[in-house]
Amino acid sequence: MSEDSFAMKLERSFVELVAERAEVKGYRKGAFAALLWPDANPKAAASRWTAMRGKATHTGKPQGVTIADAQRMGDVLGEDLSYLLAVAKENARKQG
């Protein structure tokens, strides 16, 4: 597997992990997005989170996750970013 391929698996695994943990904590998708990007219009924030979890309408690919976004996700969940990344990395490795 190429490094680029693994990097994409890691990013997807991270987003899946964050989405699962947000759901377990009882956050609805729109409410979670509003907490991630409080300065954005709630609909724009929700669209951004949807694009990260699925496929962006204009590219057909998931929107990438910036380090700043990842840090905010960890903060909102009350979890350390490096821990979340370690779990996501292990999950990505298991995918093969």
Side-chain angles (χ1 to χ4, degrees):
M1 169 178 13
S2 73
E3 285 183 32
D4 187 46
S5 170
F6 184 75
M8 288 304 299
K9 279 187 180 178
L10 172 60
E11 185 178 77
R12 295 296 91 216
S13 179
F14 178 80
V15 170
E16 289 170 17
L17 178 65
V18 167
E20 288 168 10
R21 292 189 180 217
E23 190 175 313
V24 166
K25 290 190 180 250
Y27 290 116
R28 296 185 63 151
K29 292 172 184 134
F32 185 66
L35 291 170
L36 293 177
W37 301 288
D39 296 336
N41 170 301
K43 283 188 177 183
S47 293
R48 189 170 175 184
W49 180 229
T50 297
M52 285 181 183
R53 289 187 344 269
K55 293 186 185 334
T57 52
H58 62 288
T59 64
K61 295 180 180 178
Q63 180 176 321
V65 180
T66 66
I67 292 173
D69 289 341
Q71 180 63 53
R72 280 193 294 276
M73 290 172 191
D75 289 347
V76 169
L77 292 173
E79 299 196 45
D80 184 70
L81 174 59
S82 61
Y83 173 74
L84 290 171
L85 284 169
V87 172
K89 188 173 186 179
E90 188 58 33
N91 289 345
R93 278 191 182 132
K94 288 177 185 174
Q95 291 176 11

